Amino acid sequence: MRTAALITAVIALLVGLQIVASHNGFEGPLHSLWEDFAGTPKSVSVPWAGLALALVGLSWRWRFITLGVAVAVDAICALIRVLSGGPMTVGNGAVIALAGVALTAWLGWEGAAKRNALRAAALGALLILATKIGDVWLHFTVMAGPNVRDRYLVLADHAFGEPSWVMGRVIDALGPAVYGVLHWVYIELPVAAMVVAAWQLRKVVPTGIWPGHYLVRTFLVLGLLGPVVYLMFPVVGPMFAFGHDGHGLQVGNYWPHIVPPLDYHPTPMPFDNATPRNCMPSMHTAWATTVFLHSRRAADGTPAPRWLRWGGMFWLLATLTATLGFGYHYGADLLAGAVLALTVESALRAPERGWDRGRIALVATGFGLLTGLLLAYRYLAVRMAEYPVPAGIIALGLFAGFVSVFYYTWFARRTEAPAPVPVAVGT
């Protein structure tokens, strides 16, 4: 009944969003899904990341069959598209193969094999659907926030040393090769999440046991909660509000070489009807922080392999560098995104522990800190610019304290995982 209710709710949400999107003249999730199946996919990596996540629930034999079908279908679709004058891209085969896995398992398999395949396919499908819903939500932020609050954030960011301006100049100096690597890391965050999640779920088929918590759960919850703040605190980012990409509505062409003069009487500023208001909080920071956390250890508390730990650290540092250096975010956005990630992770991690006093206190502290930051950015931005050193010390000190408590709760004290109950795996 819960599964049926969830499927019904997802379908209703997609239909509702498609109706709103069609009414307002932009692409909706159902239209985007249809393009993935029979048109030109919007993304190359997301469909394949979703399929790769679905493969963790299949035996090796079915993994090879599914991959073979996906590659063949993708090649045929790409050839037809190119011969018809369309772009050279891929992604159709991954989506079609993912749907085929779900239908085959649902109609033809039984027992644990069916449950594992359907659960993994659902995770892959949710990853794809989340990106479709997120694209629509960005249009909603424009509709809900005609006026943006970048003038407040640039004042608050004075307390953090204007990191976006600093990193923007650094990336300019490092040249196009570094820019290209960072840009790839920034846009391919779902690939990093898929790699970590696939490693966490690698033992599902041979053991029949799903871990109580893994990356995808936090990823999806962050995608539901974080964008709600976009509507409460619409911000477009330095390169738009203070740079040459502001389409004539920017305060001036300051970013990244000139720090704008401090305006101690900030007001919301009108902006265009195309640029998403998706800066506060930085969801790339939140998701990259989650990738880093889940690349540290396995579900039983044992250290992850070195390549995964180093990869998670690289992805986090490169993502933070890109978000600032490309002018997409202020430092204040990154701080809020990291707090959000640690708060959501604290609510979901180690579900067998239950909601004891430690978890409640940690989640409440994170929620309070995030709320306090948002209120400070809005109502104390002038004070933060007037007294940048104490303001920065207070904000960063509170964050450091929260990180310390998070580490002590979930990483410093290793707790024994409860003995799993084996589940027979079907053939």
Side-chain angles (χ1 to χ4, degrees):
M1 292 178 62
R2 287 194 300 268
T3 302
L6 178 61
I7 294 175
T8 302
V10 170
I11 293 175
L13 176 62
L14 293 175
V15 172
L17 291 177
Q18 181 62 49
I19 293 173
V20 174
S22 300
H23 180 72
N24 289 276
F26 56 86
E27 185 181 57
L30 294 180
H31 182 269
S32 183
L33 276 175
W34 174 252
E35 289 293 317
D36 284 354
F37 275 99
T40 302
K42 191 170 185 178
S43 170
V44 174
S45 59
V46 171
W48 279 99
L51 177 62
L53 194 55
L55 295 180
V56 301
L58 304 180
S59 65
W60 279 107
R61 174 174 175 267
W62 280 102
R63 288 173 186 173
F64 287 123
I65 293 174
T66 304
L67 278 176
V69 171
V71 171
V73 172
D74 231 352
I76 294 172
C77 291
L79 179 61
I80 295 174
R81 186 162 43 245
V82 170
L83 293 178
S84 302
M88 177 58 189
T89 187
V90 295
N92 305 95
V95 177
I96 293 172
L98 175 57
V101 166
L103 287 175
T104 301
W106 182 31
L107 298 176
W109 295 354
E110 297 293 339
K114 178 177 182 177
R115 291 192 299 271
N116 290 336
L118 288 179
R119 187 169 180 176
L123 292 177
L126 283 174
L127 179 64
I128 296 173
L129 291 177
T131 63
K132 307 300 182 186
I133 296 173
D135 291 340
V136 175
W137 193 260
L138 294 181
H139 289 281
F140 285 174
T141 65
V142 176
M143 297 164 58
N147 298 322
V148 299
R149 294 174 178 168
D150 288 74
R151 285 174 172 160
Y152 295 87
L153 277 194
V154 76
L155 287 175
D157 227 38
H158 190 56
F160 306 120
E162 287 93 14
S164 181
W165 273 259
V166 174
M167 292 308 303
R169 293 194 291 269
V170 169
I171 290 181
D172 273 356
L174 293 176
V178 173
Y179 177 91
V181 172
L182 292 176
H183 185 264
W184 181 83
V185 169
Y186 186 84
I187 64 176
E188 299 298 348
L189 184 58
V191 175
M194 177 272 297
V195 171
V196 175
W199 176 80
Q200 290 180 315
L201 301 174
R202 69 195 184 282
K203 296 182 179 179
V204 165
V205 172
T207 65
I209 301 170
W210 285 76
H213 180 54
Y214 43 91
L215 173 67
V216 181
R217 300 175 75 239
T218 306
F219 232 69
L220 294 177
V221 173
L222 282 172
L224 291 174
L225 297 180
V228 175
V229 185
Y230 295 165
L231 305 182
M232 299 184 289
F233 211 117
V235 182
V236 291
M239 69 176 295
F240 299 103
F242 297 95
H244 55 80
D245 288 327
H247 308 296
L249 297 172
Q250 66 268 36
V251 176
N253 292 327
Y254 296 106
W255 187 87
H257 299 291
I258 302 174
V259 177
L262 299 180
D263 179 6
Y264 291 108
H265 301 281
T267 57
M269 55 183 288
F271 217 72
D272 61 29
N273 59 357
T275 306
R277 280 65 162 155
N278 62 337
C279 280
M280 178 59 69
S282 168
M283 292 308 300
H284 264 78
T285 297
W287 283 318
T289 301
T290 304
V291 169
F292 170 77
L293 293 174
H294 283 262
S295 67
R296 301 295 91 193
R297 293 181 182 175
D300 60 0
T302 57
R306 183 174 299 177
W307 65 267
L308 191 67
R309 286 184 277 125
W310 279 103
M313 180 179 293
F314 165 76
W315 219 275
L316 174 62
L317 295 177
T319 299
L320 296 180
T321 302
T323 55
L324 292 172
F326 294 165
Y328 295 155
H329 288 280
Y330 305 89
D333 308 336
L334 273 63
L335 189 61
V339 172
L340 176 64
L342 297 181
T343 303
V344 172
E345 182 66 21
S346 297
L348 299 176
R349 198 175 188 89
E352 69 278 356
R353 174 172 172 167
W355 280 84
D356 57 8
R357 182 178 300 178
R359 187 195 297 272
I360 293 173
L362 190 57
V363 173
T365 300
F367 178 78
L369 179 56
L370 179 60
T371 303
L373 288 174
L374 294 176
L375 292 175
Y377 297 158
R378 174 61 179 85
Y379 296 105
L380 298 177
V382 173
R383 295 298 183 188
M384 293 180 71
E386 290 177 336
Y387 306 99
V389 175
I393 291 175
I394 292 173
L396 295 177
L398 290 173
F399 174 67
F402 181 53
V403 171
S404 299
V405 176
F406 178 90
Y407 175 80
Y408 177 77
T409 302
W410 301 116
F411 285 89
R413 296 185 301 174
R414 178 176 173 182
T415 57
E416 294 297 330
V421 179
V423 178
V425 180
T427 56

